[in-house]
Amino acid sequence: MVKSNVISATNANRLFWLGRYEERVHLTLHLLRKCYDAMIDGKPNDYNNFWKKLDIGGNYATNEDFTMGMMYDDKNPSSVLSAQICAQDNAMMLRGYIATETLAYLEMSVALMKRLKERKETNIIALQPVTDWSLAFWGSADERVTHANVMTLMNIGRKVECIDILTRFDYPYERIRHTFDSLKQHLLGMPNVIDANILTQLDEMLKPETFNLGDFEYKSKLIKLTNILVRV
């Protein structure tokens, strides 16, 4: 295990993005399940709405292509497999901080998805173990990581990713504000990693009287500020 309390800038960046990528895995699976249910229930409008927001590049021509692509396309940064590989790659470089046992949950997820990809498995329920292992990853990290700033950096990444996705998918104010307040609690321990001016702007935007995801400019600014808040 790492004995020094100092975290290099490179490892701080890896920890932040490990948190972001693993949260992306978890939330993308949740959104894909909603997409899949809408398709099964014969609600093409609901399905297309999620499709457009998940498949930002518009890379897939059919429902089946979309489902396969968003699950297993490792060239698409929005896919589950792509995000899980990125999380694993960062975690492998951070083994000394997060422990082999914690890393194992990410490795199992990648291995399962590659097997399912070979079988062309399009049933999103087949990826339920990935959701379970994602939660287990965070539980193991909470239990095994002894360096407070390591968990703080991962949780900062986790909350930033969550705010980004919740905003893109028009979640209600209370959900986004709660996540933002949780992010601020983690930031108290590492005020040097943020742009204080941007944090103030986000705080002002995330008030009941100013919150309006129906306003394109407001929504775009909220997403932009969220993604440049942290400087690691």
Side-chain angles (χ1 to χ4, degrees):
M1 295 295 291
V2 175
K3 295 181 180 180
S4 173
N5 288 325
V6 177
I7 300 176
S8 68
T10 297
N11 282 335
N13 180 268
R14 287 173 178 152
L15 288 162
F16 172 75
W17 279 102
L18 171 55
R20 286 203 67 160
Y21 282 126
E22 195 53 31
E23 184 69 359
R24 189 175 302 173
V25 167
H26 180 76
L27 289 178
T28 302
L29 282 170
H30 170 69
L31 292 165
L32 275 173
R33 279 193 294 271
K34 294 182 72 173
C35 245
Y36 189 78
D37 290 344
M39 182 178 66
I40 295 299
D41 292 340
K43 300 176 181 177
N45 290 335
D46 290 346
Y47 185 81
N48 290 334
N49 182 46
F50 278 98
W51 180 337
K52 291 175 182 177
K53 291 179 180 179
L54 279 171
D55 179 21
I56 297 172
N59 298 315
Y60 310 114
T62 68
N63 289 353
E64 184 174 345
D65 287 346
F66 167 77
T67 304
M68 278 291 294
M70 289 306 304
M71 290 166 71
Y72 309 122
D73 185 355
D74 55 10
K75 300 298 189 293
N76 182 348
S78 298
S79 78
V80 179
L81 178 57
S82 178
Q84 192 67 91
I85 289 174
C86 288
Q88 176 189 250
D89 289 348
N90 278 285
M92 289 179 69
M93 302 301 294
L94 297 162
R95 191 189 300 266
Y97 288 109
I98 67 171
T100 300
E101 295 86 350
T102 305
L103 170 61
Y105 291 109
L106 308 184
E107 293 174 327
M108 289 189 295
S109 294
V110 171
L112 172 64
M113 281 187 276
K114 287 182 176 180
R115 290 198 302 272
L116 294 173
K117 180 180 181 179
E118 290 176 357
R119 287 159 38 187
K120 297 184 178 180
E121 175 62 71
T122 58
N123 187 342
I124 187 64
I125 306 304
L127 289 185
Q128 181 57 43
V130 177
T131 297
D132 297 338
W133 289 332
S134 180
L135 295 173
F137 164 81
W138 287 108
S140 180
D142 281 333
E143 180 180 341
R144 297 177 186 278
V145 172
T146 57
H147 193 311
N149 286 346
V150 168
M151 282 305 300
T152 298
L153 283 163
M154 286 198 296
N155 278 311
I156 288 172
R158 188 181 187 183
K159 298 302 179 182
V160 166
E161 184 68 20
C162 188
I163 293 170
D164 176 277
I165 292 178
L166 295 182
T167 302
R168 292 179 190 276
F169 281 82
D170 302 312
Y171 272 70
Y173 168 77
E174 291 77 11
R175 178 75 182 276
I176 297 175
R177 182 70 212 196
H178 174 76
T179 306
F180 179 68
D181 288 340
S182 179
L183 169 62
K184 289 203 299 181
Q185 287 300 309
H186 292 299
L187 291 173
L188 289 175
M190 302 196 75
N192 57 310
V193 304
I194 63 165
D195 185 316
N197 177 57
I198 291 176
L199 183 65
T200 299
Q201 291 184 63
L202 286 169
D203 220 350
E204 288 298 316
M205 293 182 73
L206 289 172
K207 291 182 176 179
E209 60 270 24
T210 54
F211 183 80
N212 181 11
L213 294 185
D215 183 325
F216 177 79
E217 290 186 4
Y218 169 91
K219 184 176 182 178
S220 298
K221 183 178 180 180
L222 183 57
I223 292 171
K224 178 182 177 180
L225 292 179
T226 298
N227 283 288
I228 61 174
L229 170 65
V230 179
R231 304 174 301 180
V232 294

